[in-house]
């Protein structure tokens, strides 16, 4: 008997119908809706525990296949037969999605509000929150809230496909800030052609605040670089940083100017720009990011002393950066490999003392002990 067979048997023993439910979910995810339906029906026939969940997913398949009224009846039946349990809000969320697809946006909004009020936030909220925001876009009184949701996706989501999809929605907004957010989302996702289309459609005369002007110029510069107009783009990034100090886009421009310099192997220019961003924006995430890239470039180039100095500089000016602990560990390791045990020990001791919660702390403690044993 294979290990997979053992696992399946154990799963079946724990919860009847679980294996069929997993197969159904996989089929549904692959778009094989008729196959998914047949497996959900098997689960409903054989598992009292999973019956409400399988019924809701069966309704979702029916809705995707076009029979939305039947799907609504299926969800309503679940709520009538099983009025309490963790599946209740799932059923309401699915009913909201179906009503939205039927154009019943007010009804959908009420159901989304009820379903998505659950705390703590369950794992399955993501897709339904997206649906709820799309539903909000269909009603004038909630349209602004919908666009705010998609701006948050663009700014915070690590899922590339989700960012791009949100950017496409924002690009259709009549609000200038939303359109710039769409362009930023496209740039962040490497979709420079789409970003260029959005940026080129905007009139510079419509940019009424310093932040909007800096935003537009910074994104224009990134697009220029992507088009091979590196020098022109680099000059514009520097102009943004110089002309709009204190704005988030000045930090963004300086960091991307560092990236552009490093892509051309211009370490001297990158160092000068890093000194500027560290001086003007200590503690900023962009500052830590810029110094991390420069230090790594020095390390790759075999310039050990410069790498150590830049890694330690990162920890000094951006101590709360997520790479601060790792930067000190790398600096200490470089010194250790060069047999500079005193310097390595000092750096690792800084990591242990100043970053006790860093993931690298235990490693640093171990190697600091090894070093002091050798001294």
């Amino acid at each position: 008997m294979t290990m997979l067979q053992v696992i399946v048997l154990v799963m079946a023993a724990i919860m009847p119908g679980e294996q069929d439910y997993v197969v159904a979910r996989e089929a549904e995810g692959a778009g094989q809706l008729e196959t998914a339906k047949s497996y959900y029906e098997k689960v409903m026939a054989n598992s009292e525990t999973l019956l409400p969940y399988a019924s809701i997913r069966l309704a979702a398949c029916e809705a995707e296949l076009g029979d939305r009224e039947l799907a609504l009846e299926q969800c309503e039946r679940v709520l009538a037969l099983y009025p309490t349990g963790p599946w209740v809000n799932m059923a309401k969320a699915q009913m909201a999605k179906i009503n939205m697809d039927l154009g019943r946006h007010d009804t959908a909004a009420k159901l989304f509000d009820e379903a998505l009020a659950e705390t703590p936030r369950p794992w399955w909220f993501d897709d339904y929150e997206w649906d709820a925001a799309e539903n909000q876009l269909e009603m004038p009184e909630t349209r602004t809230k919908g666009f705010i949701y998609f701006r948050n996706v663009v700014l915070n989501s690590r899922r590339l496909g989700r960012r791009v999809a949100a950017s496409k929605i924002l690009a259709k907004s009549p609000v200038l800030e939303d359109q710039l957010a769409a362009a930023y989302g496209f740039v962040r996702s490497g979709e420079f052609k789409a970003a260029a289309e959005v940026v080129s459609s905007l009139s510079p005369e419509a940019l009424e605040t310093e932040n909007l002007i800096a935003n537009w110029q910074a994104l224009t510069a990134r697009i220029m670089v992507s088009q091979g107009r590196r020098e022109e783009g680099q000059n514009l990034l520097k102009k943004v940083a110089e002309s709009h100090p204190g704005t988030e886009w000045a930090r963004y421009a300086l960091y991307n100017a560092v990236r552009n310099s490093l892509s051309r192997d211009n370490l001297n220019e990158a160092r000068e720009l890093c000194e500027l961003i560290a001086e003007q924006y200590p503690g900023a995430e962009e500052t830590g990011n810029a110094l991390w890239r420069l230090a790594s470039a020095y390390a790759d180039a075999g310039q050990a002393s410069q790498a150590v100095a830049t890694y330690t500089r990162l920890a000094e000016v951006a101590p709360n950066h997520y790479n601060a602990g790792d930067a000190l560990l790398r600096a200490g390791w470089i010194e250790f490999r060069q047999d500079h045990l005193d310097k390595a020990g000092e750096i690792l001791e800084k990591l242990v003392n100043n970053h006790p919660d860093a993931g690298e702390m235990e490693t640093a403690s171990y190697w600091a002990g090894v070093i002091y044993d050798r001294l």
Side-chain angles (χ1 to χ4, degrees):
M1 182 178 292
T2 67
M3 181 58 68
L4 179 59
Q5 289 172 322
V6 171
I7 293 171
V8 169
L9 286 174
V10 170
M11 288 172 61
I14 293 172
M15 188 178 295
E18 184 173 353
Q19 182 184 357
D20 287 333
Y21 189 85
V22 171
V23 172
R25 288 291 282 162
E26 290 176 348
E28 184 183 355
Q32 300 168 4
L33 299 181
E34 292 293 350
T35 299
K37 282 177 56 180
S38 67
Y39 276 94
Y40 284 133
E41 288 167 350
K42 286 177 63 177
V43 175
M44 292 165 64
N46 297 308
S47 175
E48 184 71 22
T49 303
L50 292 175
L51 192 155
Y53 302 102
S55 300
I56 295 166
R57 296 319 311 162
L58 178 64
C61 292
E62 295 286 9
E64 284 297 312
L65 289 168
D67 201 339
R68 294 188 174 90
E69 295 295 349
L70 177 62
L72 278 176
E73 291 175 9
Q74 181 82 9
C75 289
E76 289 168 355
R77 192 177 304 116
V78 170
L79 292 178
L81 294 174
Y82 306 94
T84 58
W87 51 79
V88 169
N89 284 328
M90 286 186 179
K92 288 182 178 180
Q94 188 58 44
M95 291 171 66
K97 171 70 165 64
I98 296 168
N99 276 288
M100 180 184 78
D101 292 339
L102 288 168
R104 303 167 186 168
H105 299 295
D106 286 335
T107 300
K110 292 175 184 177
L111 286 165
F112 276 130
D113 286 346
E114 291 177 17
L116 301 178
E118 182 176 343
T119 56
R121 184 181 181 280
W123 61 269
W124 51 268
F125 263 28
D126 278 0
D127 289 340
Y128 288 118
E129 285 178 335
W130 182 287
D131 293 332
E134 285 197 304
N135 190 66
Q136 288 172 333
L137 296 181
E138 298 297 328
M139 298 179 290
E141 64 273 19
T142 58
R143 190 166 295 145
T144 298
K145 289 178 65 177
F147 282 125
I148 288 172
Y149 169 84
F150 291 111
R151 287 179 70 174
N152 285 332
V153 172
V154 163
L155 293 174
N156 300 314
S157 178
R158 295 186 178 184
R159 294 164 59 182
L160 186 146
R162 205 168 183 84
R163 286 202 309 269
V164 172
S167 298
K168 289 178 179 178
I169 291 172
L170 283 175
K172 298 175 184 177
S173 170
V175 178
L176 185 61
E177 287 85 350
D178 289 337
Q179 295 169 32
L180 284 169
Y184 171 76
F186 285 131
V187 167
R188 186 179 172 214
S189 304
E191 298 287 339
F192 289 101
K193 183 178 178 181
E197 291 175 0
V198 175
V199 169
S200 64
S201 71
L202 303 177
S203 170
E205 289 74 24
L207 306 172
E208 297 178 348
T209 67
E210 180 182 15
N211 197 62
L212 289 177
I213 293 169
N215 186 347
W216 183 83
Q217 289 178 338
L219 294 176
T220 298
R222 290 291 314 277
I223 293 166
M224 287 177 176
V225 172
S226 77
Q227 294 170 337
R229 299 155 61 188
R230 289 184 175 276
E231 199 62 38
E232 189 178 358
Q234 184 76 340
N235 289 335
L236 183 53
L237 287 171
K238 292 178 181 178
K239 178 183 176 182
V240 172
E242 182 180 350
S243 303
H244 308 285
T247 67
E248 62 179 304
W249 297 105
R251 302 195 307 271
Y252 177 86
L254 278 174
Y255 168 57
N256 282 286
V258 171
R259 292 180 61 190
N260 194 32
S261 297
L262 293 174
S263 71
R264 297 181 297 171
D265 295 323
N266 191 338
L267 293 177
N268 287 332
E269 182 182 53
R271 176 181 54 77
E272 293 172 0
L273 290 166
C274 277
E275 289 175 357
L276 189 61
I277 194 172
E279 179 183 338
Q280 294 184 353
Y281 306 104
E285 182 176 336
E286 295 89 345
T287 299
N289 291 344
L291 289 165
W292 176 266
R293 283 181 176 268
L294 178 60
S296 299
Y298 278 137
D300 291 342
Q303 299 184 37
S305 60
Q306 291 91 333
V308 169
T310 309
Y311 279 132
T312 53
R313 176 77 166 141
L314 188 164
E316 290 169 1
V317 300
N320 296 322
H321 192 272
Y322 49 82
N323 278 331
D326 197 2
L328 288 174
L329 182 63
R330 293 189 182 209
W333 187 244
I334 291 171
E335 294 286 23
F336 179 79
R337 285 188 299 177
Q338 297 181 100
D339 207 31
H340 299 160
L341 300 186
D342 283 337
K343 292 181 179 179
E346 290 175 8
I347 292 171
L348 294 176
E349 192 171 349
K350 284 183 182 178
L351 197 168
V352 172
N353 293 334
N354 299 338
H355 303 274
D357 297 325
E360 300 79 13
M361 198 274 288
E362 289 186 7
T363 303
S365 297
Y366 170 78
W367 283 106
V370 169
I371 288 167
Y372 288 126
D373 281 345
R374 294 188 183 185
L375 290 174

